[in-house]
Amino acid sequence: MQFEVWAPTARDRVTLRRADAADHPMTRDPLRKGWWTADAPAADGIRYGFALDDGPVLPDPRSRRQPDGPDGLSAVVDPASYEWSTPWHGRPLPGAVLYELHVGTFTDEGTLDAAADRLAPLAALGITHIELMPVCPFPGTHGWGYEGVSLWAVHEPYGGPAALKRFVDTAHGLGLGVVLDVVHNHLGPSGNYLPLFGPYFTDTHHTPWGSAVNLDAPGSDEVRAYLLQSALAWLRDYRLDGLRLDAVHALADTRALTFLEELSTAVDTLSAELDRPLFLIAESDLNDPRTTTPRPAGGLGLHAQWNDDFHHALHTALTGESQGYYADFAARPVAALAKTLTRAFFHDGTYSSFRGRTHGRPVSPGRTPAHRFLGYAQTHDQIGNRALGDRLSATLSPGLLACAATLVLTGPFTPMLFMGEEWGARTPWQFFTDHQDPELAEAVRNGRRREFAAHGWAAESIPDPQDPATRDRSCLDRTEAAREPHARLLAWHRDLIALRHSHPDLSDPDLATVKVAYDEGARWLAYRRGDLRIALNLSARPAEIPLGGRSGQVLVAWEPVEAPGPDGVLRLPPESCAVLAGG
């Protein structure tokens, strides 16, 4: 087997050190500057690492497995050791219904195998893709995964690389695609040995996490290749269907050909080679339609992006919250919601009081397919970054939760649910870590408390991220789903997803065809998707909604309602919603 490592920082020598045999000196690759290679026998599972000059043994930056955690030796993984059982030709993004899932809290066990055993109900619900939160190795057992290292490996407490393949195989057998959240904008502070090998980071730019990943300074060619090849390995070796790219706005990159363009080109090429659809979903705070504009038209060529503006408008309309970035949306929340339903972005060149400047760029409704935007009422960020990790179900009535589901699942965007949302789970989803370094653990704990103290929260009320109970509280309680009002909410989600799959109007990608009417004071909103009309009453009082046209047929309704009479007025009970055909 050939071992290789990019280590331009090594002065004189690099040594391959295996746990089962004598050291192997490595030689410089004459064709690739900074690369060192060695041929040595190795079997699946053999531990190894690299020593640079007289330094300690370090894990492989391209490690496929870290059986003893980020600080331990790497292990050889034989890619042929797993036999796939499900032929898979892919599942594209258009028409999808995504489900964001955190392996460590989806089940009490917190493993990929335990999660795989719970996938069948999601397939029966009508979910099409599972979006896994990051699975790269991170300190300890439990955490969100956004402080991972070893971007080619799978967190061992989740089950390691073999368990991820079993998870994907099970999902594909149920007809579910799998998307993985990957983090390229920073790596965790613990177990991050990349700077010892080469210029993986640069002080040319700074980010909230410190020095930026090196995408444009000297040595950045190899760093970009490292990230790109890691992304392709997930798609190729694990048969994943797509990647969610965390916070791409934090990628500092001044080169003419950006990393994101390079990545989207490579993914499209791999898709053609494998003859199955592959896609990239960006998380971006830029409100720039060029993120998902095809490369020939001058865009970055990513296939979709999360749409936080839709979330913020929906959240303020439901809750009345107006703090922080909700302020602009809360001024006229129903109008903000109407704007996002027809133009995707609320901030599309408008002033943002949160940022203190104009923000965003308009989306061209006739040119940008609506499926390129993901719509959601809740995500790991929007729940977990709250002081108490409280879901919408902690404060909203079942009727308003039904309204949220209706907007997400009948709106123009690719819908996404956060795990447990389908039954209105009341378990919180809180911020938790398992740092093994006591100083880092204390810094995270105190930083969390200081952050929310600035907003009036008492320090003792903020859950301790390092307390195992914080993670335990965040695990789903599936017994809820059989009790009311959860069972009713679950049935409502099932009905709406079935409608989305059976009515092409609900997956029409043309934003220009979405027609919206609303009354800010009365807090009702109605919109048209082809032959379907969706009406929502967010008020605590009954609403009379003028739909006009023919009477139409009520397909589903949260509370019993009659179809509009000759006057074309739909009379909706408080905090309820309905979907009608015709009219």
Side-chain angles (χ1 to χ4, degrees):
M1 173 179 174
Q2 184 179 67
F3 291 84
E4 59 180 21
V5 63
W6 182 59
T9 59
R11 298 184 305 274
D12 301 314
R13 62 186 178 279
V14 176
T15 304
L16 166 66
R17 186 159 295 165
R18 297 192 310 169
D20 67 327
D23 292 352
H24 287 263
M26 305 184 77
T27 59
R28 295 182 189 272
D29 188 324
L31 302 179
R32 296 183 297 166
K33 185 178 180 180
W35 282 87
W36 299 73
T37 65
D39 287 315
D44 185 76
I46 293 297
R47 266 51 161 203
Y48 72 97
F50 301 115
L52 280 57
D53 297 315
D54 297 318
V57 181
L58 305 173
D60 183 355
R62 286 169 167 74
S63 171
R64 298 303 183 99
R65 187 180 173 203
Q66 289 296 119
D68 302 310
D71 295 306
L73 291 175
S74 301
V76 172
V77 173
D78 178 5
S81 63
Y82 185 83
E83 295 186 10
W84 295 93
S85 61
T86 305
W88 184 247
H89 303 292
R91 190 154 193 177
L93 186 63
V97 178
L98 279 71
Y99 187 93
E100 190 185 20
L101 184 157
H102 177 260
V103 174
T105 51
F106 186 62
T107 65
D108 290 338
E109 298 89 340
T111 66
L112 284 156
D113 286 332
D117 289 340
R118 299 286 189 173
L119 291 180
L122 299 180
L125 184 65
I127 299 299
T128 65
H129 293 76
I130 304 300
E131 183 175 305
L132 288 175
M133 288 175 62
V135 299
C136 290
F138 55 85
T141 300
H142 295 297
W144 280 20
Y146 291 92
E147 294 182 329
V149 294
S150 298
L151 298 188
W152 304 54
V154 178
H155 191 50
E156 201 69 18
Y158 285 173
L164 179 58
K165 290 184 177 180
R166 291 192 295 269
F167 179 92
V168 174
D169 215 2
T170 300
H172 286 171
L174 294 166
L176 294 167
V178 182
V179 182
L180 178 64
D181 194 338
V182 296
V183 184
H184 292 154
N185 53 64
H186 72 288
L187 286 89
S190 182
N192 181 9
Y193 299 100
L194 291 179
L196 300 178
F197 286 91
Y200 282 88
F201 300 87
T202 174
D203 288 330
T204 304
H205 312 283
H206 290 273
T207 74
W209 308 282
S211 297
V213 174
N214 181 14
L215 297 177
D216 58 5
S220 58
D221 285 355
E222 290 291 355
V223 178
R224 289 159 73 111
Y226 172 78
L227 298 176
L228 190 150
Q229 291 165 17
S230 166
L232 297 182
W234 293 117
L235 297 168
R236 181 186 59 246
D237 300 344
Y238 290 90
R239 295 193 178 186
L240 296 177
D241 299 277
L243 301 175
R244 183 259 190 188
L245 308 177
D246 182 64
V248 298
H249 54 269
L251 295 173
D253 184 2
T254 62
R255 290 170 60 163
L257 176 63
T258 66
F259 168 71
L260 291 176
E261 291 174 83
E262 197 174 358
L263 177 59
S264 69
T265 300
V267 168
D268 288 345
T269 300
L270 181 62
S271 176
E273 292 174 359
L274 299 177
D275 193 26
R276 61 181 174 90
L278 302 173
F279 52 85
L280 297 170
I281 302 172
E283 179 196 20
S284 175
D285 187 46
L286 300 178
N287 279 25
D288 188 350
R290 289 176 294 190
T291 301
T292 59
T293 298
R295 293 183 305 277
L300 300 181
L302 304 183
H303 306 93
Q305 70 172 80
W306 281 25
N307 186 1
D308 272 353
D309 276 19
F310 172 75
H311 167 273
H312 297 346
L314 175 54
H315 187 92
T316 56
L318 293 170
T319 67
E321 292 183 14
S322 59
Q323 73 278 12
Y325 48 63
Y326 292 135
D328 291 327
F329 300 85
R332 297 182 66 232
V334 182
L337 189 52
K339 180 177 180 180
T340 61
L341 285 169
T342 55
R343 295 165 64 180
F345 295 147
F346 175 77
H347 285 304
D348 54 1
T350 61
Y351 183 79
S352 164
S353 62
F354 175 68
R355 297 171 178 85
R357 60 170 174 81
T358 300
H359 183 64
R361 184 185 184 103
V363 169
S364 175
R367 295 172 53 191
T368 305
H371 71 254
R372 292 191 182 276
F373 301 96
L374 267 62
Y376 38 84
Q378 302 182 79
T379 70
H380 77 273
D381 271 332
Q382 302 300 337
I383 300 171
N385 284 328
R386 296 171 67 84
L388 303 181
D390 50 313
R391 297 171 181 257
L392 289 176
S393 53
T395 54
L396 297 186
S397 69
L400 287 179
L401 295 176
C403 289
T406 301
L407 280 157
V408 169
L409 292 168
T410 68
F413 311 123
T414 297
M416 185 178 73
L417 305 176
F418 182 69
M419 61 179 196
E421 182 179 349
E422 67 272 28
W423 71 74
R426 287 184 178 155
T427 48
W429 201 77
Q430 299 176 333
F431 178 70
F432 52 89
T433 56
D434 191 15
H435 291 298
Q436 304 301 291
D437 180 344
E439 291 187 6
L440 181 58
E442 188 65 17
V444 170
R445 180 184 296 115
N446 291 334
R448 185 81 174 173
R449 288 171 175 167
R450 282 195 304 270
E451 175 186 357
F452 288 104
H455 299 286
W457 291 86
E460 61 272 14
S461 69
I462 305 303
D464 180 358
Q466 286 287 120
D467 185 348
T470 304
R471 175 264 171 182
D472 294 345
R473 282 192 297 271
S474 301
C475 292
L476 289 175
D477 176 8
R478 283 187 171 74
T479 65
E480 289 181 325
R483 304 192 299 267
E484 294 299 347
H486 306 286
R488 185 182 175 195
L489 278 166
L490 181 59
W492 182 248
H493 279 81
R494 183 177 295 111
D495 289 345
L496 291 176
I497 294 173
L499 277 179
R500 189 170 188 92
H501 289 322
S502 62
H503 285 73
D505 286 340
L506 292 181
S507 54
D508 183 354
D510 189 356
L511 270 176
T513 65
V514 182
K515 307 300 181 184
V516 182
Y518 64 93
D519 186 313
E520 190 74 54
R523 288 180 49 77
W524 62 257
L525 179 143
Y527 53 98
R528 186 164 189 160
R529 307 285 320 278
D531 194 43
L532 299 184
R533 294 186 178 196
I534 300 91
L536 304 103
N537 178 13
L538 306 181
S539 169
R541 300 182 299 275
E544 294 189 349
I545 304 176
L547 295 183
R550 294 177 287 111
S551 61
Q553 172 193 1
V554 177
L555 298 179
V556 293
W558 179 249
E559 298 288 357
V561 297
E562 297 291 333
D567 61 358
V569 174
L570 176 68
R571 290 164 175 84
L572 272 183
E575 299 181 349
S576 66
C577 43
V579 181
L580 298 87

